[in-house]
Amino acid sequence: MEKPDFAKGGGILPVVVQDAESLKVLMLAYMNEEAWRKTVETGKAHYWSRSRGKIWQKGETSGHFQEVLEILIDCDMDTILIKVRQHGGGACHEGYGSCFYRRIDGDGWAVVEPRVFNPEEVYGK
Amino acid sequence: MEKPDFAKGGGILPVVVQDAESLKVLMLAYMNEEAWRKTVETGKAHYWSRSRGKIWQKGETSGHFQEVLEILIDCDMDTILIKVRQHGGGACHEGYGSCFYRRIDGDGWAVVEPRVFNPEEVYGK
């Protein structure tokens, strides 16, 4: 299979993560080639953490893993879109279903989603 | 309003562009602070072109502009999600409605969307 063009992003590419059923955009993450390979092989989403400098399987701490149902690539082969079934409470480490839980509202940001889990209970303090 | 954290991405941040009605992910683009400001002020999507090193209004050549209906931000304030009404043929310069027109299918990529316009007619040769 022709692989995504990891060289273009200096080794890592952005991955749009969408709920396969609701079509809600859950998060944006990054993959390097190893995270890509593990995701394709296992059917569970693996990402490259830019802050921690390592591969992680989404949900390895929280249990909120992502089952990958569909993998798409964009015209330039430099952005990946995965459609997933989100297991557990939600995708966002802040306790929301989606990381995009705030919307512009006048001069500020309004929270537009309910919290679905308590991050302190899931991740510890 | 608290602005997206442009410093985090070295001045540019990724923007997920979603069709407000179908919820299809149309493309991934980038904004710097000026593109962000123009988008918020005009209600039409403006992006930073990494290859051309300049701001562009989506549709300035093709006429396929994007009317911005909703702007969301992620937990880390470093990824933007906009929901748009796509005017004209489609979002992808290859002639498809979405840039994500190929999906993994066995060992290759299968085109899963019909072409909705002829790029040569829209962009010239």
Side-chain angles (χ1 to χ4, degrees):
Chain A
M1 178 201 314
E2 188 189 355
K3 275 180 305 195
D5 189 357
F6 288 100
K8 229 174 175 176
I12 65 164
L13 294 180
V15 183
V16 180
V17 186
Q18 187 175 29
D19 186 281
E21 194 175 343
S22 69
L23 300 184
K24 190 175 279 195
V25 176
L26 300 178
M27 56 191 279
L28 186 92
Y30 293 86
M31 284 183 191
N32 65 356
E33 197 165 334
E34 187 189 348
W36 162 260
R37 192 176 42 73
K38 286 190 170 173
T39 299
V40 171
E41 284 174 9
T42 66
K44 287 182 182 170
H46 288 70
Y47 302 115
W48 173 256
S49 168
R50 296 182 303 168
S51 57
R52 289 177 286 161
K54 67 181 189 99
I55 303 263
W56 57 295
Q57 186 195 309
K58 174 71 182 165
E60 64 189 8
T61 304
S62 64
H64 301 175
F65 73 94
Q66 293 171 338
E67 188 184 342
V68 178
L69 303 184
E70 199 176 334
I71 300 178
L72 298 109
I73 192 90
D74 81 337
C75 44
D76 297 327
M77 299 289 288
D78 63 2
T79 306
I80 298 158
L81 168 63
I82 61 176
K83 296 190 184 174
V84 304
R85 182 174 296 138
Q86 175 69 56
H87 290 256
C92 181
H93 74 291
E94 300 278 1
Y96 297 92
S98 161
C99 292
F100 298 94
Y101 59 84
R102 287 170 297 181
R103 154 167 85 201
I104 282 192
D105 185 14
D107 283 339
W109 297 97
V111 172
V112 293
E113 291 212 21
R115 256 209 166 118
V116 293
F117 67 89
N118 180 342
E120 289 186 358
E121 281 172 15
V122 170
Y123 298 101
K125 296 197 188 192
Chain B
M1 176 202 314
E2 189 190 354
K3 274 179 306 192
D5 189 357
F6 288 102
K8 228 174 175 177
I12 66 165
L13 294 180
V15 183
V16 180
V17 186
Q18 188 175 30
D19 187 282
E21 195 176 343
S22 69
L23 299 185
K24 190 176 278 196
V25 176
L26 300 178
M27 56 192 277
L28 186 92
Y30 293 86
M31 286 185 190
N32 65 356
E33 198 166 332
E34 187 189 349
W36 162 260
R37 192 175 44 71
K38 286 191 170 173
T39 299
V40 171
E41 284 174 10
T42 66
K44 287 181 181 169
H46 289 70
Y47 302 114
W48 174 256
S49 168
R50 297 182 302 169
S51 56
R52 289 177 286 160
K54 68 181 189 102
I55 302 264
W56 56 296
Q57 186 197 308
K58 173 71 184 167
E60 65 189 8
T61 304
S62 63
H64 300 176
F65 72 96
Q66 292 171 337
E67 189 185 342
V68 179
L69 303 185
E70 199 176 334
I71 301 178
L72 298 109
I73 192 91
D74 81 337
C75 44
D76 297 327
M77 299 289 287
D78 63 2
T79 306
I80 298 158
L81 168 63
I82 62 175
K83 295 190 184 175
V84 305
R85 181 174 297 135
Q86 175 69 55
H87 291 256
C92 181
H93 74 289
E94 300 277 1
Y96 297 91
S98 161
C99 292
F100 298 94
Y101 58 83
R102 286 170 297 181
R103 158 167 82 200
I104 282 193
D105 185 13
D107 284 338
W109 297 97
V111 172
V112 292
E113 292 211 19
R115 259 213 164 114
V116 292
F117 68 89
N118 180 342
E120 289 185 358
E121 280 172 15
V122 169
Y123 297 101
K125 295 197 190 191

